[in-house]
Amino acid sequence: MTQLGPDLPGDYAAALTTLKSLVREAQQRAQRVVNTAMIELYWNIGQTILERQVTEPWGSRVLDRLARDLRTEFPHMKGFSRSNLYNMRAFAAAWNGPEPIVRTPSGQLSWSHNVALLSKLDDHELRSWYASRAAQHGWSVAVLEHQILTRLHTRSGAAPNNLEARLPGEGTDLAREVAKDPLVLDFLGLTEDAQEHAIEEAMTLRMAQTLAEFGPGFAFVGRQYHLDVDGDDFFVDLLLYHVPSDRYVVVELKAGKFKPEHLGQLNFYVAAVNDILRLPRQAPTVGILVCGSKNDRTVRYALDGSAQPLTVTSYTYEALPVDEQATLPSPAAITAALEHDPASPLDA
């Protein structure tokens, strides 16, 4: 922290804070401009290669030479490798509509994001779907790849819920944002027989990825969040906040198969959070039960009897390919990290 001398004006600290913000904003704008210019350059290079290949023998030998010549002419610029020229060609071929590339969602993403979209997806509509959401929600490349590999487009808004019945007029749209099924928790590095406490600890350790898996706009409030109900103590597994809809979200974890009585506890917690924590300006609290497996018909019967807006989702550790699973941290590594420094910063 900057140490301020006694001879400085009283408003100096406030002015310094304002100027720091202005500098950071200018840096971010400059980075966006540079990134946009690079994306446009790479698309133009790729388009030039495509156009030449229509009428001229621009094969691998010519691209090898082109890569060498560009590196020689611009030695301080990275990105002119042979493989990246092929990426540029694929990029131009994938985004070849009438709209300039800089006005597309892909134009708002980094080159690494675009390479991930090209390498992980063959369908143009899906590329557009994931590019749009990555740009809108600020996903990192790792989060984007995770969402693609776990087929987010098939999971959004799929979990059984009673949101529209309990929150008429907003429940349907809210379900699209919070009712994902299943949650793919491969990144926790746990086995199928992990108990609630282990899942909860691992989620906390990898909170950034956990929030990204729940969906965009979630913020972490607390783990084992204490509720004092007239002297009786209760503890919510995870308390989140959904910023876009301005509401608390109570998350309860059950390692085994769904049982109707699970919703009784969650129903109580949602009611308590509404009464104890929720401010008048805030939207009604929603509950999410995360369980190991479920019978959807049993879930729907149980939801019909719940007074609070709830959704029930399962989780899986097996949605990623085997080679991707092999790169995950082991349960022992997560346990060791927790025991080494329980107060360590959350993993970003």
Side-chain angles (χ1 to χ4, degrees):
M1 179 180 294
T2 303
Q3 298 296 317
L4 302 181
D7 57 336
L8 291 173
D11 62 347
Y12 178 82
L16 178 60
T17 299
T18 300
L19 292 176
K20 286 179 179 178
S21 297
L22 290 174
V23 171
R24 292 191 181 100
E25 290 172 5
Q27 288 175 328
Q28 291 170 356
R29 287 197 303 271
Q31 289 170 354
R32 287 195 294 268
V33 170
V34 170
N35 180 74
T36 300
M38 185 180 71
I39 294 298
E40 187 174 29
L41 169 65
Y42 285 0
W43 187 92
N44 284 325
I45 291 175
Q47 183 64 20
T48 299
I49 294 172
L50 287 174
E51 291 171 353
R52 295 298 188 278
Q53 287 182 331
V54 172
T55 58
E56 300 290 339
W58 274 53
S60 59
R61 186 170 61 86
V62 176
L63 292 186
D64 285 343
R65 175 60 183 269
L66 179 61
R68 289 198 303 272
D69 288 344
L70 288 174
R71 288 198 301 270
T72 299
E73 183 68 22
F74 306 103
H76 300 297
M77 289 184 67
K78 298 180 180 179
F80 291 137
S81 66
R82 177 179 180 274
S83 62
N84 214 30
L85 289 182
Y86 278 97
N87 285 334
M88 295 175 201
R89 185 183 66 176
F91 183 51
W95 300 95
N96 60 356
E99 192 173 23
I101 187 63
V102 295
R103 295 183 183 176
T104 68
S106 190
Q108 302 172 40
L109 300 174
S110 73
W111 181 239
S112 297
H113 283 84
N114 281 294
V115 171
L117 289 167
L118 291 168
S119 63
K120 304 293 184 184
L121 296 167
D122 295 323
D123 183 88
H124 178 72
E125 294 301 320
L126 282 181
R127 282 198 195 111
S128 298
W129 192 90
Y130 282 99
S132 177
R133 279 151 184 79
Q136 179 183 358
H137 304 304
W139 289 346
S140 67
V141 175
V143 169
L144 172 62
E145 291 179 336
H146 174 82
Q147 303 292 30
I148 292 173
L149 288 169
T150 58
R151 297 176 58 80
L152 174 65
H153 64 282
T154 67
R155 298 187 287 125
S156 298
N161 65 85
N162 64 357
L163 300 187
E164 180 58 27
R166 301 297 177 265
L167 301 171
E170 65 169 325
T172 300
D173 289 339
L174 184 63
R176 294 192 186 99
E177 298 184 62
V178 305
K180 187 190 299 182
D181 187 34
L183 294 173
V184 179
L185 306 180
D186 305 74
F187 56 85
L188 298 183
L190 300 176
T191 58
E192 287 186 0
D193 58 356
Q195 297 302 305
E196 288 97 336
H197 182 69
I199 298 171
E200 183 185 312
E201 284 189 325
M203 279 184 163
T204 305
L205 184 67
R206 307 298 293 268
M207 183 53 63
Q209 288 171 274
T210 297
L211 293 177
E213 178 57 20
F214 271 99
F218 278 95
F220 177 65
V221 178
R223 168 194 170 199
Q224 286 297 304
Y225 193 92
H226 178 230
L227 297 175
D228 183 343
V229 181
D230 293 337
D232 291 336
D233 296 318
F234 299 92
F235 298 88
V236 173
D237 286 345
L238 292 175
L239 185 62
L240 307 180
Y241 201 82
H242 190 241
V243 177
S245 62
D246 197 18
R247 72 178 76 239
Y248 286 105
V249 176
V250 174
V251 178
E252 279 297 294
L253 307 173
K254 299 297 178 183
K257 188 173 182 178
F258 171 82
K259 297 179 181 179
E261 53 264 35
H262 293 161
L263 289 191
Q265 182 183 38
L266 181 58
N267 200 77
F268 170 80
Y269 286 158
V270 170
V273 169
N274 272 330
D275 184 56
I276 298 171
L277 301 178
R278 178 190 168 204
L279 300 176
R281 66 168 177 80
Q282 294 172 320
T285 303
V286 166
I288 300 178
L289 182 76
V290 181
C291 56
S293 62
K294 65 186 188 313
N295 179 310
D296 282 0
R297 190 172 183 181
T298 302
V299 170
R300 293 190 184 281
Y301 288 161
L303 285 170
D304 284 345
S306 296
Q308 302 297 336
L310 309 176
T311 180
V312 178
T313 182
S314 58
Y315 61 85
T316 177
Y317 300 122
E318 299 181 342
L320 293 180
V322 174
D323 58 341
E324 298 287 341
Q325 292 185 39
T327 66
L328 297 172
S330 68
I334 289 181
T335 302
L338 285 166
E339 291 176 349
H340 175 69
D341 186 2
S344 62
L346 298 178
D347 187 353

PDB file of all heavy atoms in Angstrom, residues 3 10 14-15 31 88 102 123 138 213 242 251 284 310 322 333-334:
ATOM      1  N   GLN A   3       2.375   4.613   1.056  1.00  0.00           N
ATOM      2  CA  GLN A   3       2.425   5.375   2.301  1.00  0.00           C
ATOM      3  C   GLN A   3       2.296   6.862   1.990  1.00  0.00           C
ATOM      4  O   GLN A   3       3.033   7.402   1.171  1.00  0.00           O
ATOM      5  CB  GLN A   3       3.748   5.098   3.031  1.00  0.00           C
ATOM      6  CG  GLN A   3       3.927   3.637   3.445  1.00  0.00           C
ATOM      7  CD  GLN A   3       2.887   3.213   4.447  1.00  0.00           C
ATOM      8  OE1 GLN A   3       2.556   3.950   5.393  1.00  0.00           O
ATOM      9  NE2 GLN A   3       2.356   2.012   4.281  1.00  0.00           N
ATOM     10  N   GLY A  10      -5.360  16.617   1.870  1.00  0.00           N
ATOM     11  CA  GLY A  10      -6.292  15.655   2.457  1.00  0.00           C
ATOM     12  C   GLY A  10      -7.011  14.800   1.436  1.00  0.00           C
ATOM     13  O   GLY A  10      -7.424  13.677   1.740  1.00  0.00           O
ATOM     14  N   ALA A  14      -7.851   9.916  -2.190  1.00  0.00           N
ATOM     15  CA  ALA A  14      -9.014   9.692  -3.056  1.00  0.00           C
ATOM     16  C   ALA A  14      -8.658   9.937  -4.517  1.00  0.00           C
ATOM     17  O   ALA A  14      -9.064   9.193  -5.415  1.00  0.00           O
ATOM     18  CB  ALA A  14     -10.174  10.595  -2.630  1.00  0.00           C
ATOM     19  N   ALA A  15      -7.866  11.001  -4.756  1.00  0.00           N
ATOM     20  CA  ALA A  15      -7.462  11.311  -6.128  1.00  0.00           C
ATOM     21  C   ALA A  15      -6.568  10.204  -6.691  1.00  0.00           C
ATOM     22  O   ALA A  15      -6.697   9.816  -7.864  1.00  0.00           O
ATOM     23  CB  ALA A  15      -6.737  12.647  -6.171  1.00  0.00           C
ATOM     24  N   GLN A  31      -5.600  -3.236 -24.279  1.00  0.00           N
ATOM     25  CA  GLN A  31      -5.479  -4.679 -24.495  1.00  0.00           C
ATOM     26  C   GLN A  31      -6.584  -5.179 -25.418  1.00  0.00           C
ATOM     27  O   GLN A  31      -6.333  -6.017 -26.297  1.00  0.00           O
ATOM     28  CB  GLN A  31      -5.531  -5.418 -23.156  1.00  0.00           C
ATOM     29  CG  GLN A  31      -4.289  -5.215 -22.302  1.00  0.00           C
ATOM     30  CD  GLN A  31      -4.462  -5.757 -20.890  1.00  0.00           C
ATOM     31  OE1 GLN A  31      -5.551  -6.188 -20.506  1.00  0.00           O
ATOM     32  NE2 GLN A  31      -3.397  -5.716 -20.110  1.00  0.00           N
ATOM     33  N   MET A  88      -5.098 -20.066 -38.817  1.00  0.00           N
ATOM     34  CA  MET A  88      -5.659 -18.849 -39.425  1.00  0.00           C
ATOM     35  C   MET A  88      -6.536 -19.188 -40.624  1.00  0.00           C
ATOM     36  O   MET A  88      -7.614 -18.612 -40.806  1.00  0.00           O
ATOM     37  CB  MET A  88      -4.535 -17.903 -39.842  1.00  0.00           C
ATOM     38  CG  MET A  88      -3.715 -17.349 -38.688  1.00  0.00           C
ATOM     39  SD  MET A  88      -2.309 -16.360 -39.301  1.00  0.00           S
ATOM     40  CE  MET A  88      -1.228 -16.414 -37.871  1.00  0.00           C
ATOM     41  N   VAL A 102     -14.561  -8.688 -36.555  1.00  0.00           N
ATOM     42  CA  VAL A 102     -14.464  -7.959 -35.289  1.00  0.00           C
ATOM     43  C   VAL A 102     -15.836  -7.688 -34.681  1.00  0.00           C
ATOM     44  O   VAL A 102     -15.930  -7.318 -33.515  1.00  0.00           O
ATOM     45  CB  VAL A 102     -13.702  -6.633 -35.465  1.00  0.00           C
ATOM     46  CG1 VAL A 102     -12.254  -6.900 -35.856  1.00  0.00           C
ATOM     47  CG2 VAL A 102     -14.379  -5.736 -36.489  1.00  0.00           C
ATOM     48  N   ASP A 123     -19.057 -28.057 -35.655  1.00  0.00           N
ATOM     49  CA  ASP A 123     -20.324 -27.451 -36.059  1.00  0.00           C
ATOM     50  C   ASP A 123     -20.285 -25.930 -35.875  1.00  0.00           C
ATOM     51  O   ASP A 123     -19.989 -25.437 -34.782  1.00  0.00           O
ATOM     52  CB  ASP A 123     -21.468 -28.055 -35.236  1.00  0.00           C
ATOM     53  CG  ASP A 123     -22.819 -27.519 -35.649  1.00  0.00           C
ATOM     54  OD1 ASP A 123     -23.424 -28.101 -36.566  1.00  0.00           O
ATOM     55  OD2 ASP A 123     -23.255 -26.517 -35.059  1.00  0.00           O
ATOM     56  N   GLY A 138     -17.190 -13.859 -19.958  1.00  0.00           N
ATOM     57  CA  GLY A 138     -15.778 -13.731 -19.635  1.00  0.00           C
ATOM     58  C   GLY A 138     -15.106 -15.031 -19.253  1.00  0.00           C
ATOM     59  O   GLY A 138     -14.223 -15.051 -18.383  1.00  0.00           O
ATOM     60  N   GLU A 213     -19.159 -23.836 -13.256  1.00  0.00           N
ATOM     61  CA  GLU A 213     -19.971 -25.001 -13.611  1.00  0.00           C
ATOM     62  C   GLU A 213     -21.433 -24.782 -13.242  1.00  0.00           C
ATOM     63  O   GLU A 213     -22.337 -25.195 -13.970  1.00  0.00           O
ATOM     64  CB  GLU A 213     -19.420 -26.252 -12.917  1.00  0.00           C
ATOM     65  CG  GLU A 213     -20.226 -27.516 -13.173  1.00  0.00           C
ATOM     66  CD  GLU A 213     -20.365 -27.861 -14.651  1.00  0.00           C
ATOM     67  OE1 GLU A 213     -19.574 -27.389 -15.488  1.00  0.00           O
ATOM     68  OE2 GLU A 213     -21.302 -28.609 -14.984  1.00  0.00           O
ATOM     69  N   HIS A 242     -26.749 -15.312  -6.864  1.00  0.00           N
ATOM     70  CA  HIS A 242     -26.895 -15.201  -8.311  1.00  0.00           C
ATOM     71  C   HIS A 242     -27.100 -13.726  -8.650  1.00  0.00           C
ATOM     72  O   HIS A 242     -28.178 -13.171  -8.477  1.00  0.00           O
ATOM     73  CB  HIS A 242     -28.081 -16.038  -8.800  1.00  0.00           C
ATOM     74  CG  HIS A 242     -28.143 -16.148 -10.286  1.00  0.00           C
ATOM     75  ND1 HIS A 242     -29.203 -15.687 -11.024  1.00  0.00           N
ATOM     76  CD2 HIS A 242     -27.258 -16.666 -11.179  1.00  0.00           C
ATOM     77  CE1 HIS A 242     -28.974 -15.920 -12.309  1.00  0.00           C
ATOM     78  NE2 HIS A 242     -27.810 -16.509 -12.430  1.00  0.00           N
ATOM     79  N   VAL A 251     -27.361 -24.175  -1.690  1.00  0.00           N
ATOM     80  CA  VAL A 251     -26.949 -25.431  -2.314  1.00  0.00           C
ATOM     81  C   VAL A 251     -26.738 -26.477  -1.230  1.00  0.00           C
ATOM     82  O   VAL A 251     -25.946 -26.271  -0.308  1.00  0.00           O
ATOM     83  CB  VAL A 251     -25.646 -25.258  -3.131  1.00  0.00           C
ATOM     84  CG1 VAL A 251     -25.219 -26.598  -3.739  1.00  0.00           C
ATOM     85  CG2 VAL A 251     -25.844 -24.217  -4.228  1.00  0.00           C
ATOM     86  N   PRO A 284     -36.710 -13.587  -4.371  1.00  0.00           N
ATOM     87  CA  PRO A 284     -36.823 -14.762  -3.494  1.00  0.00           C
ATOM     88  C   PRO A 284     -35.672 -15.747  -3.688  1.00  0.00           C
ATOM     89  O   PRO A 284     -35.178 -15.952  -4.799  1.00  0.00           O
ATOM     90  CB  PRO A 284     -38.158 -15.393  -3.924  1.00  0.00           C
ATOM     91  CG  PRO A 284     -38.941 -14.273  -4.501  1.00  0.00           C
ATOM     92  CD  PRO A 284     -37.938 -13.380  -5.173  1.00  0.00           C
ATOM     93  N   LEU A 310     -37.377 -24.693  -5.922  1.00  0.00           N
ATOM     94  CA  LEU A 310     -36.245 -25.603  -5.800  1.00  0.00           C
ATOM     95  C   LEU A 310     -35.947 -26.266  -7.138  1.00  0.00           C
ATOM     96  O   LEU A 310     -36.820 -26.383  -7.997  1.00  0.00           O
ATOM     97  CB  LEU A 310     -36.539 -26.703  -4.770  1.00  0.00           C
ATOM     98  CG  LEU A 310     -37.033 -26.287  -3.388  1.00  0.00           C
ATOM     99  CD1 LEU A 310     -37.347 -27.527  -2.557  1.00  0.00           C
ATOM    100  CD2 LEU A 310     -36.010 -25.410  -2.680  1.00  0.00           C
ATOM    101  N   VAL A 322     -11.164 -40.022 -21.207  1.00  0.00           N
ATOM    102  CA  VAL A 322     -10.223 -40.650 -20.271  1.00  0.00           C
ATOM    103  C   VAL A 322      -8.922 -39.864 -20.177  1.00  0.00           C
ATOM    104  O   VAL A 322      -8.379 -39.671 -19.084  1.00  0.00           O
ATOM    105  CB  VAL A 322      -9.944 -42.106 -20.709  1.00  0.00           C
ATOM    106  CG1 VAL A 322      -8.853 -42.726 -19.829  1.00  0.00           C
ATOM    107  CG2 VAL A 322     -11.218 -42.927 -20.632  1.00  0.00           C
ATOM    108  N   ALA A 333      -4.237 -35.491  -3.406  1.00  0.00           N
ATOM    109  CA  ALA A 333      -3.624 -34.170  -3.595  1.00  0.00           C
ATOM    110  C   ALA A 333      -4.526 -33.076  -3.046  1.00  0.00           C
ATOM    111  O   ALA A 333      -4.064 -32.117  -2.429  1.00  0.00           O
ATOM    112  CB  ALA A 333      -3.344 -33.934  -5.078  1.00  0.00           C
ATOM    113  N   ILE A 334      -5.834 -33.215  -3.280  1.00  0.00           N
ATOM    114  CA  ILE A 334      -6.774 -32.209  -2.768  1.00  0.00           C
ATOM    115  C   ILE A 334      -6.789 -32.235  -1.241  1.00  0.00           C
ATOM    116  O   ILE A 334      -6.764 -31.201  -0.577  1.00  0.00           O
ATOM    117  CB  ILE A 334      -8.182 -32.449  -3.340  1.00  0.00           C
ATOM    118  CG1 ILE A 334      -8.194 -32.086  -4.829  1.00  0.00           C
ATOM    119  CG2 ILE A 334      -9.226 -31.641  -2.597  1.00  0.00           C
ATOM    120  CD1 ILE A 334      -9.528 -32.266  -5.496  1.00  0.00           C
TER     121      ILE A 334
END
